[in-house]
Amino acid sequence: MLKVVLVGRPNVGKSTLFNRLVRSQKAIVNDQPGVTRDRKYGQGKLADLEFTLIDTAGIDDALKGRTEIKIKEQCQFAIDDANVILFVIDGREGVLPIEKSIAINLKKKNKPIIVLVNKSEGLKGLIGLSEAASLAFDIVIPISAEHGEGLPDLYDVLKNNLRNQNIKIKQDEFFFNLENAPIRVSIIGRPNTGKSTLVNNIIGENRLVTGSEAGITRDSIEIEWNYKKQTFCLIDTAGLRRKSKITKILEKHMVSDTLKSIKFSDICVLLVDASQNIDKQDLTIARMIIGEGRGIVIGANKWDKVTDQNTIKNKIINQLGISLSQIKNIPIVFLSGLHNKGIEKLFDKIIYVKKKLSNRITTGKLNRWLSTIIENNPPPLYKGRQNNIRYITQVNVKPPTFALFMSSPDDLPNSYKRFLLGSIMKTFDLQGVPIRIMFRKGNNPYVKK
């Protein structure tokens, strides 16, 4: 059976991941670093894969005591015993010097090494994700051990290692294939835009309480639904009012629950009332969704109430194009949740956006694009010196995220950064979804010096 070891410095979430993968609370978890001291073995399971998982103590070169030496020895035994090494780092803190030292030692083992950027949910996790390339490992996977994000990517890599080492995969009917995991879709919007009515008509039953008054929905409700052999997890959420109008504690909890739903969704359907003008709050919510890197589809609801549909349609398209210019061609579906019209178009757009969010572009294609861009439109000089752009690679999906290495990222004008972003969107057909480029100082990290 495949043996997989978790290594890293203290307090990066190794034990949390261990508990999730062995489906128990065998490892004690605490914010205090250094809780784990011995190596711990468990039966790890991911979908139809089974493997032996080994949790280890955090590696810290600053500790020189007798006990610490024995802890390091235990960790070394576990690494030698394993077939695959999962090198866990904290996405919110980035790559620390100790982790570069650990990386050098791990490379000497000549074993498959997977870098797991833990705590990568939300914007703060981008720090570690962008810096992970400096460790120069081929496989980097952003995860959240606490919330289970990133496990489908880990599943793919471990399955390949099982095949490469001719280890038989045990089929287990109790675990679903993570490749076909439900698409999590949150219905987001201001109060009384028809979110619960829409969900009720999608699933064909009065599952959610609805009414003409605003604020009926309080908790985020999750409902499974199937369309075109794809399972969806539909999440109805409480309406989001302007922050200045929120005074009651209950509503603050409702808003917090909705924001959490955005954070852990794949796609957010922003439901707006097409019979009214797009409100400033609608645009604020859209920017929150884009800021979290989630796919977005605009649902122009109550379309049956609109009389001059051509005029309103053009007005909505133009307003979104001007106010949300960071994403070109955001998908818009004109629908009526009450009369069950436009539902199929809505889910076709959701599937379309999900595929774009999961798009992976090879490093070769990216660097051929980069060479053409630099040749035809070189970056402007800074104080008479050339700002060399050296290398680009994709470091994440959902949303597509790229790391661009160059001599002086701080001196690259914002206008040129926007030009690069727009060119990637157009060249690789990523319009309509949020994408990110992280500008990093340095050479190509994969070139051996």
Side-chain angles (χ1 to χ4, degrees), residues 9-17 29-33 88-94 99 116-129 141-150 263-264 294 396:
R9 61 179 180 82
N11 214 26
V12 294
K14 298 186 296 298
S15 295
T16 302
L17 181 59
V29 178
N30 192 280
D31 288 338
Q32 178 184 340
V88 186
I89 68 172
D90 187 331
R92 296 176 185 175
E93 295 190 17
E99 284 160 333
L116 299 182
V117 185
N118 191 27
K119 308 178 187 178
S120 63
E121 66 272 18
L123 295 174
K124 292 182 179 179
L126 286 176
I127 299 171
L129 190 57
I141 302 175
I143 68 164
S144 171
E146 185 174 352
H147 301 287
E149 290 189 351
K263 195 173 185 179
F264 296 111
R294 301 303 173 232
N396 198 9

Side-chain angles (χ1 to χ4, degrees), residues 316-358:
I316 290 174
I317 292 172
N318 290 334
Q319 191 169 357
L320 291 173
I322 294 169
S323 302
L324 301 174
S325 57
Q326 62 268 50
I327 297 185
K328 304 294 182 184
N329 303 327
I330 293 177
I332 306 171
V333 179
F334 298 89
L335 55 89
S336 171
L338 181 63
H339 298 288
N340 211 19
K341 293 182 178 179
I343 304 299
E344 288 192 3
K345 287 184 180 178
L346 176 64
F347 279 89
D348 287 339
K349 287 292 185 185
I350 290 171
I351 293 170
Y352 169 77
V353 170
K354 178 65 164 59
K355 287 180 180 177
K356 283 197 172 188
L357 282 172
S358 303

Side-chain angles (χ1 to χ4, degrees), residues 35-48:
V35 171
T36 303
R37 289 192 165 185
D38 301 295
R39 50 184 163 140
K40 192 176 274 81
Y41 287 75
Q43 192 69 21
K45 291 182 179 180
L46 257 180
D48 57 355

Side-chain angles (χ1 to χ4, degrees), residues 251-265:
E251 189 172 3
K252 289 181 180 180
H253 287 308
M254 290 158 53
V255 169
S256 176
D257 204 31
T258 298
L259 297 179
K260 191 181 296 183
S261 296
I262 294 174
K263 195 173 185 179
F264 296 111
S265 295

Side-chain angles (χ1 to χ4, degrees), residues 85-360:
I85 300 169
L86 301 183
F87 181 15
V88 186
I89 68 172
D90 187 331
R92 296 176 185 175
E93 295 190 17
V95 175
L96 302 185
I98 177 64
E99 284 160 333
K100 292 186 177 181
S101 175
I102 295 171
I104 293 170
N105 291 328
L106 291 179
K107 287 173 187 175
K108 298 175 183 177
K109 298 299 177 181
N110 196 27
K111 293 184 178 184
I113 298 170
I114 304 161
V115 178
L116 299 182
V117 185
N118 191 27
K119 308 178 187 178
S120 63
E121 66 272 18
L123 295 174
K124 292 182 179 179
L126 286 176
I127 299 171
L129 190 57
S130 63
E131 295 180 0
S134 66
L135 298 173
F137 290 110
D138 291 333
I139 302 173
V140 178
I141 302 175
I143 68 164
S144 171
E146 185 174 352
H147 301 287
E149 290 189 351
L151 296 186
D153 293 326
L154 178 59
Y155 168 89
D156 290 337
V157 176
L158 290 180
K159 192 168 184 177
N160 287 334
N161 276 282
L162 282 166
R163 287 170 179 160
N164 294 340
Q165 299 187 40
N166 295 318
I167 299 173
K168 187 177 180 181
I169 298 174
K170 182 177 179 180
Q171 298 296 327
D172 191 336
E173 62 181 321
F174 296 104
F175 298 100
F176 62 87
N177 189 335
L178 287 172
E179 291 175 341
N180 296 318
I183 299 175
R184 294 179 61 84
V185 179
S186 287
I187 314 297
I188 310 292
R190 291 183 290 120
N192 214 23
T193 54
K195 298 182 291 298
S196 297
T197 301
L198 174 63
V199 174
N200 279 343
N201 279 290
I202 288 172
I203 64 176
E205 61 176 280
N206 290 323
R207 172 69 173 76
L208 304 169
V209 179
T210 61
S212 58
E213 65 271 27
I216 290 179
T217 301
R218 289 183 171 179
D219 297 309
S220 295
I221 309 297
E222 298 188 7
I223 303 168
E224 280 206 357
W225 185 71
N226 291 287
Y227 174 72
K228 290 186 176 179
K229 297 181 180 180
Q230 171 66 56
T231 303
F232 295 83
C233 178
L234 304 179
I235 307 166
D236 183 34
T237 64
L240 291 173
R241 296 200 299 163
R242 293 181 185 177
K243 193 174 182 180
S244 59
K245 294 184 177 182
I246 301 172
T247 55
K248 296 180 180 179
I249 295 295
L250 174 59
E251 189 172 3
K252 289 181 180 180
H253 287 308
M254 290 158 53
V255 169
S256 176
D257 204 31
T258 298
L259 297 179
K260 191 181 296 183
S261 296
I262 294 174
K263 195 173 185 179
F264 296 111
S265 295
D266 297 306
I267 312 288
C268 291
V269 174
L270 174 56
L271 212 62
V272 301
D273 188 340
S275 64
Q276 304 175 10
N277 291 328
I278 288 185
D279 190 89
K280 183 179 178 182
Q281 178 67 357
D282 294 323
L283 299 173
T284 300
I285 297 169
R287 293 187 187 102
M288 287 165 48
I289 295 169
I290 294 167
E292 286 293 342
R294 301 303 173 232
I296 181 170
V297 177
I298 305 295
N301 195 26
K302 305 185 182 181
W303 194 236
D304 53 298
K305 291 185 177 182
V306 177
T307 51
D308 190 357
Q309 292 187 344
N310 286 332
T311 301
I312 297 300
K313 182 182 288 188
N314 291 331
K315 188 174 182 180
I316 290 174
I317 292 172
N318 290 334
Q319 191 169 357
L320 291 173
I322 294 169
S323 302
L324 301 174
S325 57
Q326 62 268 50
I327 297 185
K328 304 294 182 184
N329 303 327
I330 293 177
I332 306 171
V333 179
F334 298 89
L335 55 89
S336 171
L338 181 63
H339 298 288
N340 211 19
K341 293 182 178 179
I343 304 299
E344 288 192 3
K345 287 184 180 178
L346 176 64
F347 279 89
D348 287 339
K349 287 292 185 185
I350 290 171
I351 293 170
Y352 169 77
V353 170
K354 178 65 164 59
K355 287 180 180 177
K356 283 197 172 188
L357 282 172
S358 303
N359 194 18
R360 287 190 180 275

